[in-house]
Amino acid sequence: MMGPLVVNTILGVVVITWLLRRRTDIRIVYLLDNVIPHEKYPFGRFLTRLALRQGHAYIAQSDQVRRDLFEVLPDADPGAVVTSPHPVYDFGAPDRPRKTKAEARAALDLPPEARLALYFGFIKPYKGVVHLIDAAPKLKERYGDGIRVLIVGDIYGEKRPYLDRIAASGAADVIQLVDGFVPDEIVEDYFLAADLAVLHDVSATQSGIVQIAYNYDLPVVSTAVGGLPEVVLDGRTGFVVPPEDPAALADAVERFFDEDCATGFAAAVAEEKKKYSWDVMAQAVETLAAREERS
């Protein structure tokens, strides 16, 4: 299902940008989240290269994405490529007071005193959610009923394997799976309620989820894949662990709680997130626009 959809989308981009380049003076600037897709599909590399060749300039959202761009499009002009990270996202309504952690937990019917580790986002194989499930028994052994592993997001594919894995983990009572689309007005509650965001990607280029967490000064545990270590500063704004290693993931979560890292990490996140403002992204666009006007 996703393969044909992706192929048709890219073909549409190729046609539109080809026409724009040849029939208008419009400059085409690509904002690159991923260059190399996580899932394989027919003629993927060829079609991606064909689409990107139509661009005049590129904004890469991580150094990893920049490297991937030159892998797919080796003759791209380095001067036409700017690296500008994903800006932070604020899901709060304008002029609405932000809830306290206690209020957010009450709204979501979550335990008021439990340690809460949050996974938020699409649930696909490359996201490594199964490894977070596998880490839960060790966390339960350490904290008993005082820990919650909250997994929130749309499951792509069959739900049953995740349910079966949770049931077989021995920690089903501390794992809470919320499957489905989360309305924008509720997203904020999850990040306000959590103590820690956890990403266990098997592969990644960067993640908008980190920037949502950072908006709420929430520390992050992530894997050392792609561009994630560029934004999650190990030992400062969170911890970075090897991929596909549930024991290392559980150890990092335990260290966060046992060493009372929350306050210090949150302060570091508040400082670090200044790099990820929309002003910085706007400056990247302006820089490329000015360059194109001179060319």
Side-chain angles (χ1 to χ4, degrees), residues 6-280:
V6 172
V7 170
N8 290 336
T9 299
I10 295 181
L11 284 173
V13 170
V14 170
V15 171
I16 292 170
T17 53
W18 187 90
L19 290 171
L20 287 173
R21 284 206 65 144
R22 283 150 186 82
R23 298 188 181 183
T24 74
D25 294 327
I26 292 173
R27 297 292 180 173
I28 300 166
V29 179
Y30 277 100
L31 177 61
L32 302 175
D33 177 10
N34 292 338
V35 172
I36 300 174
H38 299 286
E39 294 98 353
K40 295 185 181 299
Y41 52 87
F43 308 108
R45 184 65 64 95
F46 170 76
L47 291 172
T48 299
R49 182 181 297 111
L50 192 60
L52 292 176
R53 281 193 181 280
Q54 312 306 318
H56 295 94
Y58 310 87
I59 299 173
Q61 292 197 318
S62 72
D63 289 336
Q64 180 64 53
V65 171
R66 182 186 179 95
R67 290 190 291 271
D68 290 344
L69 172 64
F70 286 109
E71 180 182 336
V72 172
L73 203 66
D75 57 348
D77 177 4
V81 184
V82 171
T83 300
S84 183
H86 207 304
V88 293
Y89 280 146
D90 188 342
F91 280 86
D95 301 321
R96 185 182 68 188
R98 184 174 288 180
K99 293 175 183 174
T100 65
K101 179 176 291 189
E103 289 169 340
R105 291 191 178 194
L108 297 170
D109 195 25
L110 294 169
E113 302 298 331
R115 301 167 181 84
L116 200 157
L118 169 70
Y119 171 85
F120 190 97
F122 294 131
I123 301 175
K124 298 182 176 183
Y126 76 88
K127 290 293 188 178
V129 172
V130 293
H131 304 297
L132 176 57
I133 294 171
D134 292 346
K138 189 172 186 297
L139 295 173
K140 180 182 176 181
E141 181 181 355
R142 176 72 181 84
Y143 301 113
D145 191 50
I147 185 77
R148 288 293 183 276
V149 175
L150 183 59
I151 301 170
V152 182
D154 271 326
I155 295 177
Y156 280 64
E158 292 295 323
K159 183 176 181 178
R160 176 51 55 186
Y162 293 98
L163 296 177
D164 290 345
R165 200 171 191 119
I166 291 170
S169 70
D173 54 333
V174 301
I175 300 172
Q176 183 172 340
L177 175 63
V178 181
D179 171 32
F181 173 77
V182 179
D184 283 357
E185 60 269 21
I186 300 176
V187 170
E188 181 175 78
D189 288 352
Y190 284 105
F191 287 87
L192 292 174
D195 295 303
L196 179 69
V198 179
L199 306 177
H200 201 79
D201 294 61
V202 175
S203 66
T205 47
Q206 49 83 48
S207 174
I209 301 301
V210 175
Q211 268 72 10
I212 299 175
Y214 277 14
N215 181 71
Y216 298 99
D217 296 340
L218 188 66
V220 178
V221 170
S222 79
T223 45
V225 296
L228 293 178
E230 296 174 30
V231 291
V232 180
L233 307 183
D234 190 36
R236 289 185 55 207
T237 65
F239 292 117
V240 178
V241 300
E244 301 181 86
D245 191 339
L249 176 60
D251 287 344
V253 174
E254 290 178 9
R255 182 180 174 191
F256 174 81
F257 288 119
D258 292 349
E259 297 182 9
D260 294 324
C261 295
T263 301
F265 281 11
V269 169
E271 184 63 28
E272 183 68 13
K273 74 180 181 184
K274 294 176 183 178
K275 298 179 183 178
Y276 309 122
S277 71
W278 289 94
D279 288 342
V280 173

Side-chain angles (χ1 to χ4, degrees), residues 285-295:
V285 176
E286 291 175 1
T287 297
L288 292 173
R291 178 185 185 279
E292 293 302 336
E293 288 172 0
R294 292 195 299 269
S295 63

